[in-house]
Coordinates of all heavy atoms in Angstrom, one line a residue:
M916 N 2.5 25.2 8.7 CA 2.8 24.8 7.3 C 4.3 24.8 7.1 O 5.0 25.7 7.5 CB 2.1 25.9 6.4 CG 2.1 25.4 5.0 SD 1.3 26.7 3.9 CE -0.4 26.5 4.5
M917 N 4.7 23.8 6.4 CA 6.2 23.7 6.2 C 6.6 24.5 5.0 O 6.0 24.5 4.0 CB 6.5 22.2 6.0 CG 7.9 21.9 5.9 SD 8.1 20.1 5.6 CE 7.3 19.9 4.1
D918 N 7.7 25.2 5.2 CA 8.2 26.0 4.1 C 9.6 25.5 3.7 O 10.5 25.5 4.4 CB 8.3 27.5 4.6 CG 8.6 28.4 3.4 OD1 9.1 27.9 2.4 OD2 8.2 29.6 3.5
I919 N 9.7 25.0 2.4 CA 10.9 24.4 2.1 C 11.8 25.3 1.4 O 13.0 25.2 1.3 CB 10.7 23.2 1.1 CG1 9.9 22.1 1.9 CG2 11.9 22.6 0.7 CD1 10.2 20.8 1.6
G920 N 11.3 26.4 0.9 CA 12.2 27.4 0.2 C 11.5 28.1 -0.9 O 10.6 27.6 -1.4
A921 N 12.0 29.3 -1.1 CA 11.5 30.2 -2.2 C 10.0 30.3 -2.2 O 9.4 30.4 -3.2 CB 12.0 29.7 -3.5
G922 N 9.4 30.3 -1.0 CA 8.0 30.6 -0.9 C 7.1 29.4 -1.3 O 5.9 29.5 -1.3
I923 N 7.6 28.3 -1.8 CA 6.8 27.2 -2.2 C 6.6 26.3 -0.9 O 7.6 25.8 -0.4 CB 7.4 26.3 -3.3 CG1 7.7 27.2 -4.5 CG2 6.6 25.1 -3.6 CD1 6.7 27.3 -5.5
T924 N 5.3 26.1 -0.5 CA 5.1 25.4 0.7 C 4.4 24.1 0.4 O 3.7 24.0 -0.7 CB 4.3 26.2 1.7 OG1 3.1 26.5 1.1 CG2 5.0 27.4 2.2
T925 N 4.5 23.1 1.3 CA 3.8 21.8 1.0 C 2.6 21.5 1.9 O 1.9 20.6 1.7 CB 4.8 20.7 1.2 OG1 5.3 20.8 2.6 CG2 6.0 20.8 0.2
E1061 N 12.8 15.9 5.7 CA 13.2 17.1 6.5 C 13.8 16.6 7.7 O 13.5 15.6 8.3 CB 11.9 17.8 6.8 CG 11.4 18.7 5.8 CD 10.2 19.5 6.5 OE1 9.3 18.8 7.0 OE2 10.3 20.7 6.4
I1174 N 0.5 20.6 -3.8 CA 1.5 21.7 -3.8 C 0.9 22.9 -4.6 O 1.0 24.0 -4.3 CB 2.9 21.3 -4.2 CG1 3.4 20.1 -3.4 CG2 3.9 22.4 -4.2 CD1 4.7 19.6 -3.7
I1177 N -2.0 24.6 -2.7 CA -1.5 25.3 -1.5 C -0.8 26.6 -1.8 O -0.9 27.6 -1.2 CB -0.6 24.4 -0.6 CG1 -1.4 23.3 0.0 CG2 0.2 25.1 0.4 CD1 -0.7 22.1 0.4
N1178 N -0.1 26.6 -3.0 CA 0.6 27.8 -3.4 C -0.2 28.7 -4.3 O 0.3 29.7 -4.7 CB 1.9 27.3 -4.0 CG 2.8 26.7 -3.0 OD1 3.4 27.5 -2.2 ND2 2.9 25.4 -3.0
S1179 N -1.4 28.3 -4.6 CA -2.2 29.1 -5.5 C -2.8 30.2 -4.7 O -3.6 29.9 -3.7 CB -3.3 28.2 -6.2 OG -4.3 29.0 -6.6
R1180 N -2.6 31.5 -5.1 CA -3.0 32.6 -4.2 C -4.5 32.6 -4.2 O -5.1 32.9 -3.2 CB -2.5 33.9 -4.8 CG -1.5 34.5 -3.9 CD -0.9 35.8 -4.4 NE 0.5 35.6 -4.7 CZ 1.1 36.0 -5.8 NH1 0.4 36.7 -6.7 NH2 2.4 35.8 -6.0
P1198 N 1.6 29.2 -15.3 CA 2.9 29.7 -14.8 C 3.3 29.2 -13.4 O 4.4 28.8 -13.1 CB 2.8 31.2 -14.9 CG 1.7 31.5 -15.7 CD 0.7 30.4 -15.7
L1199 N 2.2 29.1 -12.6 CA 2.5 28.6 -11.2 C 3.0 27.2 -11.2 O 3.9 26.8 -10.6 CB 1.2 28.8 -10.3 CG 1.4 28.2 -8.9 CD1 2.3 29.0 -8.1 CD2 0.0 28.1 -8.2
A1201 N 4.4 25.7 -13.7 CA 5.8 25.6 -14.2 C 6.8 25.9 -13.1 O 7.8 25.3 -13.0 CB 5.9 26.6 -15.4
Q1202 N 6.5 27.0 -12.3 CA 7.4 27.4 -11.2 C 7.5 26.2 -10.2 O 8.6 25.9 -9.7 CB 6.7 28.6 -10.5 CG 7.6 29.6 -9.9 CD 6.8 30.6 -9.1 OE1 5.6 30.9 -9.5 NE2 7.3 31.1 -8.1
I1203 N 6.4 25.6 -9.9 CA 6.5 24.5 -8.9 C 7.3 23.3 -9.5 O 8.1 22.7 -8.8 CB 5.0 24.0 -8.5 CG1 4.4 25.1 -7.6 CG2 5.0 22.7 -7.9 CD1 3.0 24.9 -7.3
D1204 N 7.1 23.0 -10.8 CA 7.9 21.9 -11.4 C 9.4 22.2 -11.3 O 10.2 21.3 -11.0 CB 7.5 21.7 -12.9 CG 6.1 21.1 -13.0 OD1 5.6 20.7 -11.9 OD2 5.6 21.1 -14.1
V1205 N 9.8 23.5 -11.5 CA 11.2 23.9 -11.4 C 11.7 23.7 -10.0 O 12.7 23.1 -9.7 CB 11.4 25.4 -11.9 CG1 12.8 25.8 -11.6 CG2 11.1 25.5 -13.3
K1206 N 10.9 24.1 -9.0 CA 11.2 24.0 -7.6 C 11.4 22.6 -7.2 O 12.4 22.2 -6.6 CB 10.2 24.7 -6.8 CG 10.6 25.1 -5.4 CD 11.5 26.3 -5.4 CE 12.6 26.1 -4.4 NZ 13.7 27.1 -4.6
V1207 N 10.4 21.8 -7.6 CA 10.5 20.3 -7.3 C 11.8 19.7 -7.9 O 12.5 18.9 -7.2 CB 9.2 19.6 -7.7 CG1 9.4 18.1 -7.6 CG2 8.0 20.0 -6.9
G1208 N 12.1 20.1 -9.1 CA 13.3 19.7 -9.7 C 14.6 20.1 -8.9 O 15.5 19.2 -8.7
E1209 N 14.5 21.3 -8.4 CA 15.7 21.7 -7.5 C 15.8 20.9 -6.3 O 16.8 20.5 -5.9 CB 15.5 23.2 -7.1 CG 15.9 24.2 -8.2 CD 15.5 25.6 -7.8 OE1 15.4 25.9 -6.6 OE2 15.4 26.4 -8.8
W1210 N 14.6 20.6 -5.6 CA 14.6 19.8 -4.4 C 15.2 18.5 -4.7 O 15.9 17.9 -3.9 CB 13.2 19.7 -3.8 CG 12.6 20.9 -3.3 CD1 13.2 22.1 -3.0 CD2 11.2 21.1 -3.1 NE1 12.3 23.0 -2.6 CE2 11.0 22.5 -2.6 CE3 10.0 20.3 -3.2 CZ2 9.8 23.0 -2.3 CZ3 8.8 20.9 -2.9 CH2 8.7 22.2 -2.5
E1213 N 18.9 18.7 -5.0 CA 19.5 18.9 -3.7 C 19.4 17.7 -2.8 O 19.8 17.7 -1.6 CB 18.9 20.1 -3.0 CG 19.2 21.4 -3.7 CD 18.3 22.5 -3.3 OE1 17.5 22.4 -2.3 OE2 18.3 23.6 -4.0
K1215 N 16.6 16.8 -1.4 CA 15.6 17.0 -0.4 C 14.3 16.3 -0.7 O 13.5 16.0 0.2 CB 15.2 18.5 -0.4 CG 16.1 19.4 0.4 CD 15.5 20.8 0.4 CE 16.4 21.9 0.9 NZ 15.8 23.2 0.6

Side-chain angles (χ1 to χ4, degrees):
M916 192 178 294
M917 186 178 64
D918 192 335
I919 297 214
I923 303 269
T924 57
T925 57
E1061 276 189 307
I1174 302 181
I1177 288 160
N1178 291 284
S1179 156
R1180 248 179 246 138
L1199 175 69
Q1202 212 186 328
I1203 286 170
D1204 291 351
V1205 171
K1206 198 75 218 166
V1207 169
E1209 281 173 20
W1210 293 343
E1213 290 163 15
K1215 278 187 189 167

